[in-house]
Amino acid sequence: MNHFSITEIKERNSQSAQAIGFLIAGILAALVYGIVQLSVPAFLLVLVFAINLFLETREYKKSCQIELEAAKYNEDHLNS
């Protein structure tokens, strides 16, 4: 089990969700700019953002699983 409290895990998940939202917005903005300006660097930036989004989403899923396990562990010990 990790050494974080449930509130710390929830805060980290919230920050991760915000980062995912900003990455999606950045991808869309760079994609529109790349299409309008026919800019290769903008498309490369979209690729970098997409890779970062993939990695962040994967870690977010793991963190959500840890949060569920911590909540279940906490609930089991409160009921005991």
Side-chain angles (χ1 to χ4, degrees):
M1 185 62 72
N2 289 344
H3 302 295
F4 296 107
S5 70
I6 293 177
T7 55
E8 290 171 332
I9 294 171
K10 286 183 179 183
E11 183 178 327
R12 291 178 69 196
N13 285 349
S14 175
Q15 291 172 352
S16 185
Q18 288 176 349
I20 289 171
F22 284 125
L23 285 170
I24 291 172
I27 288 171
L28 292 176
L31 192 59
V32 168
Y33 181 79
I35 290 171
V36 170
Q37 298 293 326
L38 297 175
S39 172
V40 173
F43 289 118
L44 293 175
L45 186 62
V46 167
L47 179 64
V48 170
F49 281 171
I51 292 169
N52 200 357
L53 178 65
F54 171 74
L55 296 174
E56 184 70 30
T57 304
R58 193 171 68 178
E59 289 300 317
Y60 179 69
K61 287 179 184 178
K62 288 180 188 177
S63 185
C64 285
Q65 185 64 32
I66 291 170
E67 181 182 348
L68 289 174
E69 290 173 5
K72 184 175 279 191
Y73 177 81
N74 191 23
E75 182 180 306
D76 289 344
H77 284 285
L78 287 176
N79 291 335
S80 296

